[in-house]
Amino acid sequence: MAAIDGDMVIGRESPLAPDLELLFQRHTEDMNADTPPESIHMLPRAALERPEIGFFVLREAGRPLAMGAVKRIAPGEGEIKSMHVLSEARGRGHSRRMLAALIDHARAEGLARLSLETGVQPTFVAARGLYARAGFVECGPFGDYAPDPNSVFMTLNLSGTD
């Protein structure tokens, strides 16, 4: 666990921890709220418990408020998965902190590129803005993704060269 500010920490954890149920429930509800089922690309909770995935939780005073993961998808390439902040904890910079931790993890793992898939729906505008401010740019489908009118694909070069 790395202390961020006072009693706030972000650390690598198991996605199967019992006190993460609310995070996963809300994440699933949000993904299903306005995205067609065939365009939902989130991994089931148990699938995040794999050696090629670094799963992180932001906690404040011990309470889990945010989560995110980086999945190694190819040599030198990773993908952000399952990033979510509880609605009642939004507006306090937790998304920015979690994204920074995921990028730091990707760099520490020696990844040269970090990509993500997010939605085109209005509910994803804030997320797309967050990623763009962090340096992510839109790109075509990557990994096993196919073109999808409900998806926006973004990538960040971590190697310093293009």
Side-chain angles (χ1 to χ4, degrees):
M1 294 273 178
I4 297 174
D5 186 23
D7 60 355
M8 191 181 314
V9 296
I10 294 179
R12 193 167 180 171
E13 298 189 23
S14 168
L16 304 178
D19 69 344
L20 301 180
E21 182 62 38
L22 181 61
L23 270 169
F24 280 99
Q25 176 189 338
R26 297 267 190 87
H27 182 54
T28 301
E29 288 170 0
D30 282 359
M31 294 302 100
N32 286 287
D34 62 359
T35 303
E38 66 275 10
S39 294
I40 296 174
H41 302 289
M42 72 178 188
L43 291 174
R45 185 176 181 179
L48 291 165
E49 181 77 61
R50 303 187 52 84
E52 69 272 17
I53 297 177
F55 180 82
F56 294 84
V57 177
L58 180 148
R59 292 178 179 272
E60 188 172 40
R63 181 172 174 238
L65 300 179
M67 65 180 182
V70 172
K71 177 183 179 185
R72 184 178 294 271
I73 58 173
E77 295 185 36
E79 177 185 4
I80 292 180
K81 299 297 290 183
S82 297
M83 195 163 138
H84 186 81
V85 176
L86 292 178
S87 58
E88 61 269 26
R90 292 180 186 158
R92 297 177 47 210
H94 295 329
S95 294
R96 181 184 42 77
R97 288 181 188 96
M98 179 57 69
L99 182 58
L102 297 177
I103 293 170
D104 288 347
H105 170 74
R107 283 192 172 110
E109 291 289 307
L111 301 180
R113 181 162 302 282
L114 187 59
S115 302
L116 60 91
E117 178 277 336
T118 190
V120 298
Q121 297 82 357
T123 52
F124 294 98
V125 168
R128 292 191 309 269
L130 171 74
Y131 299 133
R133 286 189 300 279
F136 284 81
V137 294
E138 288 192 29
C139 64
F142 60 90
D144 294 333
Y145 289 103
D148 182 340
N150 294 297
S151 291
V152 173
F153 302 97
M154 302 179 83
T155 194
L156 176 67
N157 180 348
L158 300 174
S159 68
T161 61
D162 273 327

